[in-house]
Each structure stands twice: as structure tokens, then as C-alpha cells.
Amino acid sequence: MLVVIAGLTLLGLCYGAAWASPARVFAALTGSGGGPGVVIREWRLPRVLAGLVFGAALGLAGAIFQNITRNPLGSPDVIGLDAGAYTGALFAITVLSGTSTQLTIGSVLGGVITAAVVYALSLGGGLSGLRLIVIGIAINAMLTAFNSWIVLRAELEIAIAAVGWNAGSLNGVGWDDVAIPFGVLAVLFIVLFTRAPALHQAALGGELAVTTGVRWDRLRLVLVLIGVGCTATVTAVAGPIAFIALAAPQIGRRLARTPGIALLPAALTGAVLLTGADLAAQMLLAPEALPVGVVSTVIGGGYLIWLLTKEVRRT
């Protein structure tokens, strides 16, 4: 996966309106590229790094919720967290002035509130992974309808901007857009990997994890907050990018041949999927660049059909 990431990174830095050779890319990264070097450093590099970091964040968020629910369908976009983050961002766009800070805060609050509602409704009769997923799907459907209503009621210019942002895109991402999100995600990654051993114990089941010394209720709350933070941070910058969080953990588990859903394979697979999808989005209708969410939805939709078919055959 690291080799694939290196290859996609180089391709992303070379590809653009004008092709840059690998030699020119290396010269630009060392500060000796002149005019083309500015394009590579200021335009292409932030976009490539955003694809890698945001993809890793979505992969980790998916791994968290699939471990908690012990179900391959447990991911932020399935249980409504993406839709909730989008609701918070829509509030910032339509009611407030829609600055990057307001988008970030609105997305995080929307995701946290949605997670709290899903979590609270799932507690009735005992928290179970399947119950959480079913309730999350219902909340997702309601929030999607509510978001559509907000867009239809907004002014034309705002509605166009909101719908375009909802597609999920890395177009135009620069250093100013990713500096703070990268810092936030770095903190979340560090906290998550310090909880990794307990998370893998908890993947065996909450009751069994408690017998091994894991404080399951507290750990679950911390993990949910980290997963929401990763999802909402990505959503605040790039919009809701579907299916990466769903597919990356399961693909990473199969590639690494781990018994459970490990964090590092999920992160690396998420980085590969999002970066590869963004490159495909740039190339398919070049010179026009599609939103990366369009390509990720196609990839994730095919994966979801395969997953559901496999589950039906198993039962």
C-alpha cells in the first residue's frame, strides 16, 4: 500500500493542465522549479496531501464504527454522520456567512449531534450493532430529506454552492484550506492509535472486553467522538465523500489478512482509494474535473453490491 501511495502521489503531482515530468516535480519540491514549481507546490501538492490525509481519516472512521458495531455496514455515511455534518455545514452556509471556520464548527456540531441522537435511540433494549445501524439508516434518510428541503428554500446562488459542495470535491483545495484540518486530524490520529489495543479487544465483544480490563462504555464514547471528528473535519473542507469509510476497512482487512479490522490497513486503503478516485475524477472528463464524490460513489456502490451479495449467500 505504501508503494501504491508513493506512485499515486507522484502521478498526482505530475498530472494537471500541463504534464510535469518526475524530474520537474522533484525540482519543484526542492525549491528550484521556477514558475512550474509554484504550480506544483501551491496547487497540486495540497490537493494530493488532502487526498491522502482525508482518505486515511475516512478509513479510520469507518474502522472505528465497524469495530464498535461489529458489522461491515457500520460506517459514518451509512449511519447518518455524513448527512448530519452536511446539515451543520448547510446551516453555516445558509444562515451564517459560510466562512471556513463556521463550516468546520457547523460540520463538527452536526456530526456530534447526529451521533448523540443515533446513540441514544440505540440504547433502548440494550445497545447492539445491528440496532445502531438500522436506526442510523433511518436518521440518514430523514436528514437527507431535511437537507434537500434546506437547499430548495435557499437563494439560488447559495443553493448552487451547497449542492456543488455536497458532491464532495478536492477541486481548488489549497494550503489555507488544509492547514488547520491537518492539525486537528493529527491530534485525532494520535489519540486513536493510543486506544488501538483496547479497540481491538473491544472488537471481540463489549462483555468480553470488560472482563479483560477495558472500560468499554468510556472507550466507546471516546471512539465515537474520534470517528465523528474525523468525518466532520473532512466534510468541512471537501464536503461529504461517500463510501470511502465503508469500503476501506474491509478491503484493508482482506489485503492485510488480519482477523479483525486493523487501523493501519484501513488508513492506508482509505488514502489509496480517495487519492485514486480524485485522479480518476480529474482524468475522466479532462480538462473538466469531476467531484471526487462522484467517482467514490461508483466505487463504493459496486463494493456495497458485492458485500450484500456475499452476506446473502452466507445466510
Side-chain angles (χ1 to χ4, degrees):
M1 298 303 289
L2 290 174
V3 172
V4 174
I5 286 173
L8 290 174
T9 300
L10 180 60
L11 180 59
L13 294 175
C14 292
Y15 184 80
W19 175 265
S21 65
R24 180 172 292 180
V25 168
F26 289 126
L29 295 179
T30 57
S32 58
V38 174
V39 173
I40 293 171
R41 290 192 303 269
E42 301 299 325
W43 295 359
R44 299 182 188 177
L45 184 58
R47 180 173 187 152
V48 170
L49 291 180
L52 294 174
V53 176
F54 292 168
L58 293 175
L60 289 174
I64 288 172
F65 287 102
Q66 289 181 18
N67 272 305
I68 290 176
T69 61
R70 302 177 67 190
N71 192 306
L73 290 177
S75 76
D77 42 354
V78 172
I79 62 176
L81 301 190
D82 279 8
Y86 181 44
T87 303
L90 277 179
F91 180 84
I93 294 173
T94 57
V95 177
L96 306 177
S97 56
T99 64
S100 58
T101 301
Q102 292 171 349
L103 278 173
T104 302
I105 296 175
S107 297
V108 172
L109 288 178
V112 169
I113 293 172
T114 303
V117 172
V118 173
Y119 187 84
L121 293 176
S122 302
L123 288 176
L127 182 65
S128 68
L130 181 60
R131 180 183 178 87
L132 188 146
I133 290 172
V134 172
I135 291 175
I137 291 173
I139 295 295
N140 185 37
M142 289 188 289
L143 284 175
T144 300
F146 180 64
N147 293 340
S148 298
W149 178 80
I150 293 176
V151 171
L152 290 173
R153 298 284 295 179
E155 296 180 2
L156 180 60
E157 294 79 4
I158 296 176
I160 292 174
V163 170
W165 186 81
N166 183 42
S169 176
L170 297 178
N171 297 336
V173 171
W175 290 117
D176 292 339
D177 302 308
V178 300
I180 295 177
F182 280 2
V184 173
L185 290 175
V187 174
L188 293 175
F189 291 173
I190 293 172
V191 175
L192 176 58
F193 278 98
T194 61
R195 302 293 193 277
L199 172 62
H200 293 147
Q201 285 179 274
L204 301 174
E207 295 180 357
L208 183 59
V210 171
T211 62
T212 61
V214 175
R215 301 176 64 180
W216 173 229
D217 290 336
R218 180 178 177 181
L219 175 65
R220 184 167 52 196
L221 177 60
V222 172
L223 292 174
V224 168
L225 291 177
I226 293 173
V228 171
C230 289
T231 301
T233 302
V234 174
T235 303
V237 179
I241 300 176
F243 288 114
I244 299 294
L246 175 69
Q250 294 297 321
I251 295 175
R253 181 178 69 85
R254 286 170 171 79
L255 291 175
R257 298 181 181 179
T258 56
I261 301 173
L263 296 179
L264 186 58
L268 294 177
T269 305
V272 168
L273 289 179
L274 184 54
T275 306
D278 186 48
L279 280 169
Q282 296 179 63
M283 295 177 180
L284 285 174
L285 297 179
E288 298 296 328
L290 290 172
V292 66
V294 174
V295 179
S296 70
T297 299
V298 173
I299 296 173
Y303 166 79
L304 183 59
I305 292 173
W306 173 83
L307 179 63
L308 292 175
T309 303
K310 184 177 180 180
E311 291 297 320
V312 169
R313 289 177 179 175
R314 180 180 299 176
T315 56

